[in-house]
């Protein structure tokens, strides 16, 4: 089954430990919703605030993300889904996309000899 990365964007640096009970309930239901659509969550994590980021560009290492932006990457998940349409439906169900957004990309799996 094809695999997809969902990059989850948040409008502000969020503390993943500061979750409301309603949000926790949505997160707990999410895996079952993924399975109902024929997908399977492989892995996923919330990221610590972008203030903890360290960026590498060539030989230069700097504190913080590459650019200042209105949205930051708040987390990611890898999932298996029958096709891109199902992966997009799964991304739309993710509670984090209600205030932010998500980018869905097929994973590139190099051929193995």
């Amino acid at each position: 089954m094809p695999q997809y990365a969902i990059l989850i964007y948040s409008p502000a640096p969020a503390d993943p430990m500061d979750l409301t009970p309603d949000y926790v309930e949505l997160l707990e239901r999410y895996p079952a919703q993924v399975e109902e659509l024929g997908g399977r969550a492989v892995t996923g994590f919330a990221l610590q605030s972008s203030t903890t980021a360290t960026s590498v560009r060539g030989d230069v290492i700097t504190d913080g993300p590459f650019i200042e932006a209105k949205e930051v990457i708040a987390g990611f998940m890898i999932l298996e889904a029958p096709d891109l349409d199902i992966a997009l439906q799964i991304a739309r169900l993710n509670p984090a996309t209600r205030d932010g957004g998500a980018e869905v990309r097929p994973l590139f799996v190099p051929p193995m000899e």
Side-chain angles (χ1 to χ4, degrees), residues 29-64:
R29 286 194 316 221
Y30 188 61
Q33 292 173 317
V34 170
E35 288 182 19
E36 287 172 14
L37 288 170
R40 183 179 78 84
V42 176
T43 193
F45 295 95
L47 300 176
Q48 292 187 25
S49 167
S50 62
T51 61
T52 66
T54 302
S55 298
V56 178
R57 191 175 290 239
D59 292 336
V60 179
I61 298 174
T62 57
D63 290 338

Side-chain angles (χ1 to χ4, degrees), residues 5-109:
I6 299 178
L7 303 174
I8 300 165
Y9 293 89
S10 173
D15 181 353
M17 300 306 294
D18 187 24
L19 303 176
T20 66
D22 290 341
Y23 193 83
V24 171
E25 182 182 334
L26 291 172
L27 285 175
E28 289 172 347
R29 286 194 316 221
Y30 188 61
Q33 292 173 317
V34 170
E35 288 182 19
E36 287 172 14
L37 288 170
R40 183 179 78 84
V42 176
T43 193
F45 295 95
L47 300 176
Q48 292 187 25
S49 167
S50 62
T51 61
T52 66
T54 302
S55 298
V56 178
R57 191 175 290 239
D59 292 336
V60 179
I61 298 174
T62 57
D63 290 338
F66 280 133
I67 60 172
E68 290 193 31
K70 293 182 181 180
E71 292 185 329
V72 297
I73 299 175
F76 68 94
M77 71 179 294
I78 305 297
L79 65 97
E80 292 180 340
D83 56 42
L84 178 59
D85 290 334
I86 298 296
L88 292 171
Q89 288 181 43
I90 291 169
R92 289 182 70 197
L93 286 173
N94 189 299
T97 62
R98 294 182 346 155
D99 294 326
E103 180 178 327
V104 179
R105 291 194 200 180
L107 293 184
F108 171 72
V109 181

